[in-house]
Amino acid sequence: MEERTLYTVTVFSENHVGLLNQITIIFNRRRLNIETLSVSPSAIQGIHKFTITVFSDRDTIEKVVKQIDKRVDILKAYFNVDEELVHQEIALYKVSTDQLLKSGSVEELIRKHNIRILEMTETCVVFEKTGHYAENQQLFKELSETIGVLQFIRSGRVAITKSKVERLSDMLSAIEKKMHKNHE
Amino acid sequence: MQSLIAEGVDTVFGYPGGQIMPTFDALYDYMDKINHILVRHEQGAVHAAQGYARVSGKVGVALLTSGPGATNAITGIADAMLDSTPLVVIAGQVPAASLGTDAFQETDLVGVTQPLTKWSFQIRKAEDIPWAVSRAFFIAQTGRPGPVVLDITKDAQNAETEFNYEKCKFIRSYFPTPDTDPATVKEAAEIINSAKKPLALLGQGITLGRAEKEVQAFLEKAQIPAAWTLLGLSALASDHPLNMGMLGMHGNLAPNLKTNECDVLIAIGMRFDDRVTGDLNTYAKQAKIIHFDIDPSEVGKNVKPTVGVLGNVKLTIPKVARLVHEANHNSWIAEFKPLYEREYKSVIKKETEPTDGEIRMGEVVKLISDATGNDAVMVTDVGQNQMVSARYFKFKRPNSFVTSGGLGTMGFGLPAAIGAKVGAPDRTVCMFAGDGGFQMTIQELGTILQSQIGVKMIVMNNNYLGMVRQWQELFFEERYSFTTMINPDFTAIGKAYGIESRQVKKREDLADAIQDMLKDDKPYLLVVEVEKQGMVYPMTPAGTAVTNVLLGDE
């Protein structure tokens, strides 16, 4: 079997009920496990953007993306590898205030990991860290091994391509031109 | 109803029930404009709509109720998806307020059918009906056709709304026909011009694109021998000198062997199904491959082409043909002949012109094809009857063959033939089935009785599930696990439905029975008792190379 790489699949769709299901069943058929998933309105009104990460070989991901792209309500689907993207995840960590204070230099910890403190009570502190998966994971590991983590949650990946303009806007204007031509 | 009429629908196959009653009530007022055929089971409604669509080139419409009505339709919907048949299936649904409460006869039809349709949509408001119906018809028949499901809640059917119909011509997220890159056209033509031993593979994309003439002109200009896939049958006349027969597991010897000898393989509107390619690792490795298709997700899915030409083959083939030089490949074409002769001697002669032993399926098919002047519509069920029919029935014109290719649905034949006859009332429609598949949808004899649909039904009875039995003989050490059938007197059943029925056991009665069957345009059931342990040859065992052809005489 070919080497499996982490691919980021970006999907732009109309905002209709049931689209997430239409997309995930295509992964299901190929037994691909979705690592992370994030859905939000895109820069263009009425269009939603899905960012999905998945381990796959190139041949399979190419076919899967073509099959997603084929769905009627999908505007565009494409895939990238990490090098082509600026990507980020966010993670929240809840730790015990007592343990944190006992651990030594809080300042050092915060500076080293670029942590923000969102909430602090007598019993617990909530940290926020944004970064790549590995960075957020590293902090989780460090905290677990030292002061312990009471609660931990991370978001799915959000990503932006390194090329200048969001490709969808080009596509939409091309479609509009074509439509006008058809109606002339 | 008004929306359907606005789309030019004049025929609907359906079955009423609780949640679709308001629509059936409206239908009562439109009986002068819409011919509704009442079937006996919802699976039959969808298969009939498929048969109708395949011969008429129009969108087939099925109308059914929620819950069991809708789930009974699933087999047909899945079949239409795999075989790219344009359908609009309209199902009732519980009132919007009851959705998600496990109400009586509620199923999540949209959820269930999403992987099986081009588009599946729930209508909850009457004012959305015209929009959704126009979109459904646009999606079903444009690009690569396919089934669309509309799930209409009962309250949306009941509500009154201003009727404002605008035909859908454009959906911004849907590109039915991809742009053709001129560079691929040029590259394809160059490859074809350099070919010494080209072979063309003809698929259903040709009939769906109504591109039969364009493809024929292209083949003739460059003198390229061609073979068709199961669903490509009737895309070119059977007796055309460049027609080398059928591809695939039970296809003809010559085109299968030549697939691995040609230097350029030209696939036109076909999808390299595993029943055609066998083992992909040994498939046409020596050849440059050109793939013409309208669906970008098919290009490179199973076979990686040297060049893929996207677009409707009706447009792309003439573009390439213009750049292709006239050529002759006489010596290459001549190589097909000895292989045909070998197949004729080993298989075809024994199958179609036997002089002793039990009646063979092949001779039945050939006699009927001859008796109809090779101009009938053939509808088949699935199994040995299907493969033998596909091999020995001959065609003069397109849209003459209806079968369940991708899904391989036993029970498809009878209802699909009903739809085909409704879609082509002036043509003779012959339905070939085995004793197994015929009994899977035998209740549709009631539809024939009620609507007097002149289908000629030929049941080739061997009291076995023949194709499975054949595999058991070849690959399971003759362990015939549950493939014998104890059957009723089919002619008695036919007669009970008021259908003229006749059983034939002897070869000498066959021709007379066929004449009797074809004497008028009324429904007829011909039951032929055929060879019990017949085998369909040639056969390429599943998953092996296309050249690994068994002829059954070694």
Side-chain angles (χ1 to χ4, degrees), chain B residues 327-338:
Chain B
N328 79 65
H329 299 103
N330 293 343
S331 61
W332 164 241
I333 291 169
E335 287 179 36
F336 286 74
K337 193 135 197 274

Side-chain angles (χ1 to χ4, degrees), chain B residues 496-515:
Chain B
Y497 280 99
I499 297 166
E500 192 175 351
S501 307
R502 178 164 166 185
Q503 185 189 37
V504 173
K505 290 179 172 167
K506 289 190 204 135
R507 176 163 292 121
E508 52 269 32
D509 298 335
L510 199 52
D512 178 59
I514 290 168
Q515 284 313 320

Side-chain angles (χ1 to χ4, degrees), chain B residues 4-171:
Chain B
L4 292 179
I5 289 164
E7 285 295 335
V9 173
D10 54 15
T11 307
V12 171
F13 301 89
Y15 202 100
Q19 306 301 343
I20 195 72
M21 281 179 67
T23 303
F24 268 89
D25 188 59
L27 184 62
Y28 200 69
D29 290 331
Y30 286 96
M31 287 195 298
D32 55 330
K33 292 205 176 80
I34 292 184
N35 176 24
H36 175 270
I37 311 275
L38 176 67
V39 295
R40 291 296 178 271
H41 185 282
E42 289 86 353
Q43 183 188 350
V46 183
H47 289 330
Q50 287 178 275
Y52 176 85
R54 293 266 284 270
V55 299
S56 70
K58 292 193 264 183
V59 178
V61 181
L63 190 60
L64 9 124
T65 192
S66 66
T71 53
N72 281 343
I74 301 289
T75 305
I77 293 168
D79 194 291
M81 186 66 174
L82 275 174
D83 284 352
S84 310
T85 308
L87 287 190
V88 172
V89 176
I90 300 168
Q93 180 58 281
V94 300
S98 309
L99 285 165
T101 65
D102 299 327
F104 180 63
Q105 295 194 328
E106 181 192 359
T107 54
D108 176 10
L109 182 64
V110 170
V112 169
T113 53
Q114 261 174 356
L116 307 174
T117 51
K118 259 185 104 173
W119 192 56
S120 185
F121 187 76
Q122 186 172 68
I123 303 171
R124 296 180 181 200
K125 282 187 270 170
E127 57 264 38
D128 289 342
I129 292 175
W131 173 83
V133 170
S134 67
R135 215 171 136 102
F137 277 84
F138 178 66
I139 292 169
Q141 61 192 323
T142 50
R144 178 176 178 179
V148 171
V149 165
L150 293 176
D151 189 38
I152 311 186
T153 60
K154 195 171 189 179
D155 47 327
Q157 296 172 49
N158 275 324
E160 303 250 333
T161 181
E162 192 91 7
F163 183 72
N164 223 329
Y165 201 84
E166 215 175 297
K167 238 179 145 140
C168 177
K169 286 189 197 131
F170 172 78
I171 298 171

Side-chain angles (χ1 to χ4, degrees), chain A residues 14 16 18 21-22 25 30 46-47 59 63 66-67 70-75 171-172 175 178-179, chain B residues 81 111 114-115 117-119 135 139 144 170-175 179 295-297 299-301 304:
Chain A
E14 297 290 355
H16 290 168
N21 185 40
Q22 290 193 41
I25 51 182
R30 300 257 181 188
I47 294 175
D59 193 47
K63 290 173 189 173
K66 274 186 181 177
Q67 275 165 344
K70 179 172 154 177
R71 300 299 307 176
V72 166
D73 293 318
I74 304 288
L75 282 136
M171 197 189 77
L172 278 181
I175 295 171
K178 214 170 158 184
M179 186 176 71
Chain B
M81 186 66 174
Q114 261 174 356
T117 51
K118 259 185 104 173
W119 192 56
R135 215 171 136 102
I139 292 169
R144 178 176 178 179
F170 172 78
I171 298 171
R172 70 172 176 179
S173 58
Y174 170 60
F175 319 103
D179 293 331
D295 179 355
S297 78
V299 177
K301 187 184 77 176
K304 291 249 175 291

